[in-house]
């Protein structure tokens, strides 16, 4: 089983990204998928998490993820607020929305890192909501390239499941661009 924890802020599409990943994994043939938000008194801009579990077998675990295989960080300012690295297994994969290249990221530990300036990709494809770039779809592209768990093709199908018409097409274009532009350090 692969466990993914999403770190972001209210309004960034953290919960939707976790759902799209779960649906995409199911469409790819994984037998067990779950997606769950972790809510408290969140509001727009407040830190929040969501999780996705992906398995070749049915999943019977529904507790919160304590140590994930993959952590996806939609807002890098959360590093100073949330113990992101504490939620990631040693040798885990850390995906960060950052203009820095993966090899430039200075984080102590033995993590594999992938980065993308997801905000720039979102702006380029006009993925803006209430004046803020929606970085969730670009980070799904990074997820596909860096982890190899869920293919770009199946993420596109997952986006079509959640979005319609022009919104799906625009998000798919951003997903593909993010996949191509991601920087990976293993």
């Amino acid at each position: 089983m692969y466990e993914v924890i999403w770190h972001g802020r209210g309004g960034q599409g953290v919960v939707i990204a976790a759902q799209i990943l779960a649906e995409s994994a199911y469409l790819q043939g994984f037998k067990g998928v779950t997606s769950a938000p972790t809510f408290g008194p969140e509001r727009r801009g407040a830190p929040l998490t969501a999780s996705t579990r992906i398995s070749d077998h049915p999943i019977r675990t529904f507790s919160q993820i304590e140590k994930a295989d993959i952590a996806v960080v939609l807002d890098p300012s959360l590093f100073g607020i949330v113990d992101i690295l504490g939620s990631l297994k040693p040798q885990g994969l850390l995906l960060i929305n950052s203009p820095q290249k993966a090899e430039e990221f200075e984080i102590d530990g033995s993590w594999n890192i992938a980065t993308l300036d997801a905000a720039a990709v979102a702006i380029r494809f006009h993925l803006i909501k209430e004046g803020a770039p929606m970085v969730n779809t670009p980070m799904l592209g990074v997820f596909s390239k860096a982890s190899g768990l869920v293919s770009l093709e199946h993420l596109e199908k997952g986006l079509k499941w959640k979005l319609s018409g022009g919104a799906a097409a625009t998000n798919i274009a951003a997903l593909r661009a993010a996949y191509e532009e991601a920087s990976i350090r293993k």
Side-chain angles (χ1 to χ4, degrees):
M1 177 166 47
Y2 300 95
E3 295 180 312
V4 182
I5 190 163
W6 297 80
H7 294 278
R9 294 188 179 273
Q12 288 187 311
V14 174
V15 174
I16 291 171
Q19 291 171 346
I20 291 170
L21 178 59
E23 180 67 18
S24 300
Y26 178 77
L27 292 170
Q28 186 167 311
F30 284 96
K31 303 294 184 228
V33 297
T34 64
S35 171
T38 302
F39 284 113
E42 282 85 1
R43 63 185 189 285
R44 184 167 300 284
L48 67 98
T49 62
S51 63
T52 309
R53 284 188 171 100
I54 301 170
S55 177
D56 288 325
H57 307 285
I59 296 174
R60 307 226 190 292
T61 304
F62 299 100
S63 61
Q64 291 183 3
I65 293 173
E66 292 185 26
K67 292 283 187 178
D69 300 290
I70 303 168
V72 186
V73 182
L74 277 65
D75 185 337
S77 73
L78 292 172
F79 278 104
I81 300 168
V82 177
D83 185 15
I84 292 169
L85 299 177
S87 71
L88 187 60
K89 291 177 184 174
Q91 306 299 320
L93 178 58
L94 181 60
L95 311 177
I96 308 166
N97 167 21
S98 173
Q100 286 182 280
K101 296 291 183 199
E103 58 273 0
E104 297 170 352
F105 232 89
E106 294 184 27
I107 295 180
D108 293 333
S110 58
W111 293 283
N112 299 306
I113 299 174
T115 63
L116 171 76
D117 190 347
V121 172
I123 290 167
R124 191 166 73 232
F125 287 91
H126 308 288
L127 299 178
I128 310 286
K129 184 176 180 183
E130 297 178 10
M134 295 299 294
V135 299
N136 57 348
T137 297
M139 291 307 292
L140 284 166
V142 177
F143 180 92
S144 180
K145 184 173 185 177
S147 73
L149 279 177
V150 180
S151 73
L152 202 56
E153 173 190 353
H154 287 93
L155 282 167
E156 290 175 10
K157 289 178 182 179
L159 283 167
K160 288 177 184 174
W161 163 78
K162 192 70 174 173
L163 306 170
S164 61
T170 301
N171 277 270
I172 288 169
L175 176 81
R176 290 176 182 166
Y179 182 92
E180 294 301 321
E181 297 171 25
S183 168
I184 302 171
R185 180 188 88 196
K186 292 190 177 192

